[in-house]
């Protein structure tokens, strides 16, 4: 139990840990004020036994009781405020810390771990720590402290009864330790079931179109149903496993109170305890463990707290890329790739690529699917670090840059654009929250998206759905291009930006890309002939190697992948359905 407390407070860190410690100190005061009722009871009983009840004695006892209640209420108020601030503050700080940490992890981490797992850690796990953990830790510590203080106070009145209380405490913690051991085996399964449920639910919602198209509802959506059922089983198992231990804990505390009462009566009859002290002990027998019983029941969740801390810390302990380079502003935008090698999961993706990309030129990268095109661009932008060789920007190894200063030089337009559930204006000014509206509109006009934005219900203040679900593919792409224009980085990477765009939007999108890439260093991954034939250099990448390099006309004069690629595209573009075929189709 102590190890869990230590780990939890260490995880909270800084100001939040300090607030928890102050709250515990307040808990000691609350325990002290709770224990102050015992002297008041003894004082009144003693006065009654000696027929010495006077207004002064009454006021004295009432003052002690009233003072302890009022002081306890004030202390509890501040203690609760500190607990809430520290608990929810820890959850908020750790969510931000995890988000910042994720920014600097190699992209391979996100390929190995589903979004469901990350979502679970930042939602369920942080919720456990911010809400459940706060109450569990504080109720447990305060329950134990209150019982110990009352036990110490009872030792001063009669050491024999005090020892009985301590023996009861020892038996209580013995049972509680067994419950913690059982919890240690079950809690990881519960946390894993919670993560699996979030993962499957997220997957189900993201694929809701396919779910409806293929009627994957009810028993057919087996994976989601299985995750729900497993979550139910784990929660029931957790509760049923703890019930016997909780019952035994409560039985022991009640029986200890009975033993205290019987011994107090026995000692009184033997003449070794004053009658009034005996009555006081009998009263205390059923109060001493009241806080401990509640603490014992909640302590069953300590292992869940422990597992939650471990899950969050597991992400924070992942080694980030070396981002502590220099804040470099390159004087030139030449890109040099020198004999780089990169493997993923022991599979070599890039195998000895070297290329020089002069500043202000356009380089198109083509080749078969899975050949390494996207990986090459990601290595240039340092989404991963190369295993061998070096990538240079402006003559400096990209690993010499701090990550933030390196990213200032790159803008990206991906095939699959992600827009946030926010206003159109905020999506365009993403990363530049203070950018004036005039600048946002100017970027939108250059990206050819001002007109359709004006047609939206609230124009630039229209809140678009998560992921841009309320916009077409071409509209999302153009907003993404406007965002890149706002950044105005000298190097632009286009990853098949026009691959999934309908013909109606393509002309506008191509015009937007031309406006974005003017006087920039361009790297484009593309399958469409019209987007690559005017490039200054075309790289054909296959099996992690550059197998061809040159301009369009040069590569067309060679036998190889590029000419086959162009011929296949030309044949597809020239193909049309004949009248007879059309009639037969009808």
């Amino acid at each position: 139990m102590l190890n869990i407390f230590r780990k939890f407070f260490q995880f909270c860190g800084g100001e939040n840990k300090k607030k928890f410690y102050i709250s515990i100190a307040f808990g000691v005061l609350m325990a002290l004020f709770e224990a102050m009722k015992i002297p008041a009871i003894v004082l009144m009983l003693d006065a009654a036994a000696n027929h010495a009840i006077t207004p002064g004695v009454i006021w004295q006892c009432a003052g002690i009781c009233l003072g302890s209640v009022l002081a306890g209420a004030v202390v509890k108020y501040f203690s609760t405020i500190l607990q809430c601030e520290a608990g929810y503050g820890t959850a908020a700080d750790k969510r931000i810390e995890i988000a910042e940490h994720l920014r600097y992890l190699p992209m391979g981490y996100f390929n190995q771990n589903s979004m469901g797992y990350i979502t679970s850690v930042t939602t369920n796990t942080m919720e456990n720590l911010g809400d459940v953990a706060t109450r569990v830790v504080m109720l447990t510590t305060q329950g134990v402290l209150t019982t110990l203080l009352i036990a110490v106070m009872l030792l001063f009145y009669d050491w024999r009864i005090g020892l009985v209380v301590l023996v009861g405490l020892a038996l209580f913690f013995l049972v509680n330790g067994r419950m913690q051991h059982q919890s240690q085996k079950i809690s990881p399964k519960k946390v894993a079931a919670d993560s699996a449920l979030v993962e499957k639910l997220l997957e189900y919602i993201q694929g809701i179109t396919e779910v409806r198209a293929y009627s994957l509802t009810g028993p057919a959506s087996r994976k989601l149903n299985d995750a729900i059922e497993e979550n139910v089983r784990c929660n029931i198992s957790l509760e049923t496993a703890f019930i016997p231990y909780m019952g035994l804990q409560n039985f022991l505390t009640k029986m200890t109170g009975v033993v205290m009462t019987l011994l107090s009566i026995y000692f009184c009859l033997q003449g070794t305890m004053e009658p009034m002290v005996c009555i006081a002990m009998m009263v205390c027998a059923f109060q001493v463990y009241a806080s401990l019983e509640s603490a014992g029941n909640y302590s069953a969740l300590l292992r869940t707290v422990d597992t939650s801390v471990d899950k969050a810390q597991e992400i924070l302990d992942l080694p980030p890329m070396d981002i502590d380079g220099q804040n470099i502003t390159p004087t030139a935008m030449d890109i040099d790739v020198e004999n780089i090698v990169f493997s993923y999961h022991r599979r070599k993706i890039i195998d000895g690529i070297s290329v020089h990309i002069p500043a202000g030129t356009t380089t198109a990268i083509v080749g078969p699917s899975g050949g390494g095109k996207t990986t090459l661009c990601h290595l240039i932008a340092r989404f991963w670090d190369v295993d061998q060789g070096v990538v240079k920007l402006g003559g400096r190894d990209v690993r010499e840059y701090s990550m933030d200063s390196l990213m200032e030089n790159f803008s990206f337009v991906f095939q699959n654009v992600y827009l946030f559930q926010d206003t159109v204006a905020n999506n365009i000014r993403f990363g530049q929250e203070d950018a004036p509206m005039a600048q946002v509109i100017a970027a939108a006009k250059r990206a050819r998206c001002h007109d359709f934005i004006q047609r939206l219900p609230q124009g630039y203040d229209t809140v678009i759905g998560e992921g841009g679900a309320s916009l077409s593919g071409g509209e999302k792409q153009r907003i993404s291009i406007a965002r890149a224009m706002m950044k105005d980085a000298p190097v632009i990477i286009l990853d098949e930006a026009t691959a999934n765009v309908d013909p109606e939007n393509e002309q506008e999108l191509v015009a937007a890309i031309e406006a974005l890439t003017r006087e920039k260093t361009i790297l484009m991954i593309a399958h469409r002939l019209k987007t690559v034939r005017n490039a200054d250099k075309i790289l054909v990448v296959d099996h992690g190697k550059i197998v061809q390099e040159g301009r369009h006309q040069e590569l067309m004069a060679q036998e190889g992948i590029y000419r086959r690629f162009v011929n296949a595209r030309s044949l597809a573009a020239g193909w049309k359905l004949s009248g007879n075929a059309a009639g037969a189709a009808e």
Side-chain angles (χ1 to χ4, degrees), residues 5-42:
F5 290 157
R6 189 181 302 112
K7 180 191 291 186
F8 175 74
F9 292 132
Q10 184 177 358
F11 178 79
C12 294
E15 191 66 25
N16 292 317
K17 179 168 69 173
K18 182 180 177 181
K19 288 179 179 179
F20 273 127
Y21 284 163
I22 296 174
S23 181
I24 290 175
F26 279 141
V28 174
L29 289 176
M30 287 171 58
L32 183 61
F33 291 134
E34 186 72 22
M36 286 299 296
K37 297 173 184 176
I38 296 175
I41 294 171
V42 173

Side-chain angles (χ1 to χ4, degrees), residues 372-423:
K373 304 183 297 296
T374 299
T375 302
L376 175 59
C377 289
H378 285 175
L379 291 171
I380 289 173
R382 208 190 169 198
F383 282 12
W384 291 285
D385 277 332
V386 296
D387 298 331
Q388 297 176 31
V390 63
V391 176
K392 293 181 180 179
L393 175 66
R396 302 286 294 270
D397 189 330
V398 292
R399 289 169 292 196
E400 295 179 20
Y401 291 74
S402 67
M403 185 61 71
D404 291 334
S405 69
L406 179 65
M407 285 298 104
E408 288 176 1
N409 299 292
F410 291 93
S411 284
F412 305 87
V413 180
F414 296 110
Q415 176 181 352
N416 297 315
V417 176
Y418 189 88
L419 300 179
F420 295 88
Q421 189 169 0
D422 203 340
T423 64

Side-chain angles (χ1 to χ4, degrees), residues 115-227:
M115 292 304 297
Y117 177 80
I118 298 173
T119 302
S120 176
V121 172
T122 54
T123 53
N124 285 356
T125 302
M126 290 300 105
E127 188 68 24
N128 281 339
L129 291 175
D131 191 2
V132 178
T134 299
R135 285 163 175 76
V136 169
V137 171
M138 302 316 297
L139 282 171
T140 303
T141 54
Q142 288 176 5
V144 172
L145 287 171
T146 299
T147 303
L148 284 173
L149 276 174
I150 294 176
V152 170
M153 188 167 290
L154 290 179
L155 283 169
F156 283 102
Y157 283 99
D158 191 291
W159 63 270
R160 297 166 297 182
I161 301 299
L163 285 178
V164 172
V165 175
L166 294 177
V167 169
L169 270 174
L171 292 173
F172 175 89
F173 284 119
L174 181 64
V175 175
N176 188 264
R178 295 301 304 167
M179 183 170 66
Q180 295 295 326
H181 179 72
Q182 186 74 6
S183 177
Q184 189 174 14
K185 294 189 294 185
I186 300 175
S187 292
K189 295 180 182 179
K190 171 184 163 44
V191 174
D194 288 342
S195 297
L197 179 57
V198 172
E199 180 179 341
K200 295 304 177 186
L201 186 58
L202 191 63
E203 180 183 273
Y204 186 87
I205 293 171
Q206 289 176 336
I208 194 65
T209 303
E210 284 74 17
V211 169
R212 294 184 65 181
Y214 291 94
S215 300
L216 298 177
T217 56
S221 55
R222 179 51 52 197
K223 289 184 179 179
L224 177 59
N225 291 343
D226 288 346

Side-chain angles (χ1 to χ4, degrees), residues 26 30 70-84:
F26 279 141
M30 287 171 58
L70 292 176
V74 172
V75 170
K76 185 174 183 179
Y77 170 80
F78 287 109
S79 176
T80 303
I81 291 293
L82 287 170
Q83 289 174 30
C84 291

